[in-house]
Amino acid sequence: MKLIYSLILVMTIALNCCQSFSMGSNKIDYSKIENQVGQQQCFTSSNQLPTSYSSSYVMLSFNGNYPTPSGIQQSSFLESGFVNIDLIGQQLYVDFLFDNGNTKTKGNLWGFGTNSTQYVSVNVNGTDYCFQQPLSYSASSLEGLKYVGDFELGTVQCDMFSVNPGDLGNSSNVGLLVDKSDCSLISGSTENINNTPSGYTLTNYYYYNPSADSSYFQLPSICLNQPNSKQLKLKSSSVQLPKVFGNLPF
């Protein structure tokens, strides 16, 4: 119940934020930034696009749209963790904690584009398990990244973009706030549209670093060993995967 109350409160804030995006009425004091008045500062050329990055994150969803094998479905949850992504080397890592009020899952995921394989490590009743699976994530295309305008989050001057919704198709509007001073990720939002049930997702990024740490791509021994009989039995049940990769802009 506490989770639901928290989701309602935070998504109310997120809704107000999304409405502000649409209205374009935000007023910014540009005196803090030289030669950046009303101008796009980030991602104006291909060499500004990130090739790797890492960041902590907190993600809140209230009935937000998410792609599944059976189509777009809605989900409410809280997820937090850390992502480490090398877009050139096609490697990714996430340490995540997922909580939808009924199920809480703590785990790690390693993804490798070179062999289209991912490894998911989860802890169940005090025991660690690791599963090898076909890669279910890929780097998003930036072809749909469009500059919308300027925004101010707290005292941070931001470029605001609309983002290619990827697997969400035409079911969602996706927005992104980027710090004008260093083009670091600040916040992302998703709004359900086109006759899908109302819903919103808000993701905030913390301690953004424009590079990846290669040590995170090393698999632990549990993922290198053959699964035991208990793990094989558990594998037949669904394993919760992190939601954050479905909302990352790249």
Side-chain angles (χ1 to χ4, degrees):
M1 186 62 70
K2 290 182 179 179
L3 174 64
I4 299 301
Y5 287 152
S6 299
L7 285 172
I8 292 174
L9 174 60
V10 174
M11 295 318 300
T12 299
I13 298 172
L15 173 59
N16 291 334
C17 185
C18 290
Q19 291 173 338
S20 296
F21 285 6
S22 302
M23 293 170 61
S25 60
N26 187 261
K27 302 299 182 181
I28 301 176
D29 177 8
Y30 288 101
S31 62
K32 302 174 184 176
I33 303 178
E34 296 181 2
N35 303 319
Q36 296 185 9
V37 179
Q39 297 180 16
Q40 177 182 354
Q41 298 300 309
C42 298
F43 312 145
T44 57
S45 62
S46 59
N47 62 8
Q48 274 195 316
L49 299 177
T51 57
S52 63
Y53 65 93
S54 61
S55 179
S56 297
Y57 72 92
V58 174
M59 184 179 187
L60 287 160
S61 178
F62 177 72
N63 211 41
N65 282 340
Y66 289 90
T68 71
S70 53
I72 299 296
Q73 296 183 0
Q74 291 71 49
S75 180
S76 297
F77 61 87
L78 166 66
E79 182 175 302
S80 61
F82 169 80
V83 294
N84 189 69
I85 299 178
D86 175 7
L87 296 172
I88 302 300
Q90 300 182 56
Q91 303 177 97
L92 58 86
Y93 166 81
V94 61
D95 179 337
F96 68 98
L97 176 63
F98 175 90
D99 186 353
N100 64 5
N102 297 314
T103 302
K104 183 178 292 187
T105 303
K106 180 173 177 55
N108 309 84
L109 182 143
W110 297 261
F112 304 95
T114 52
N115 61 1
S116 298
T117 301
Q118 67 186 28
Y119 297 83
V120 185
S121 174
V122 294
N123 184 282
V124 179
N125 297 325
T127 302
D128 291 323
Y129 300 89
C130 187
F131 307 103
Q132 179 179 331
Q133 302 173 336
L135 185 64
S136 57
Y137 301 102
S138 62
S140 302
S141 169
L142 283 175
E143 295 177 357
L145 189 70
K146 296 181 180 179
Y147 177 67
V148 175
D150 301 300
F151 200 82
E152 186 171 10
L153 188 62
T155 59
V156 179
Q157 316 292 330
C158 299
D159 277 348
M160 181 167 58
F161 296 91
S162 64
V163 181
N164 186 334
D167 293 337
L168 290 172
N170 62 358
S171 72
S172 304
N173 281 332
V174 182
L176 178 69
L177 293 179
V178 178
D179 189 334
K180 278 181 176 288
S181 67
D182 59 6
C183 300
S184 60
L185 301 184
I186 296 292
S187 185
S189 63
T190 303
E191 177 185 10
N192 299 0
I193 59 172
N194 289 338
N195 298 319
T196 59
S198 296
Y200 302 89
T201 300
L202 179 68
T203 306
N204 288 336
Y205 302 96
Y206 306 91
Y207 308 108
Y208 179 88
N209 189 331
S211 63
D213 184 341
S214 60
S215 65
Y216 284 104
F217 302 129
Q218 303 299 314
L219 289 173
S221 59
I222 189 174
C223 295
L224 299 175
N225 298 328
Q226 292 296 317
N228 56 37
S229 58
K230 291 183 179 179
Q231 182 166 324
L232 291 174
K233 182 177 181 180
L234 181 64
K235 192 173 182 179
S236 63
S237 64
S238 61
V239 176
Q240 177 63 52
L241 300 178
K243 297 281 192 182
V244 66
F245 288 123
N247 286 70
L248 287 173
F250 31 72

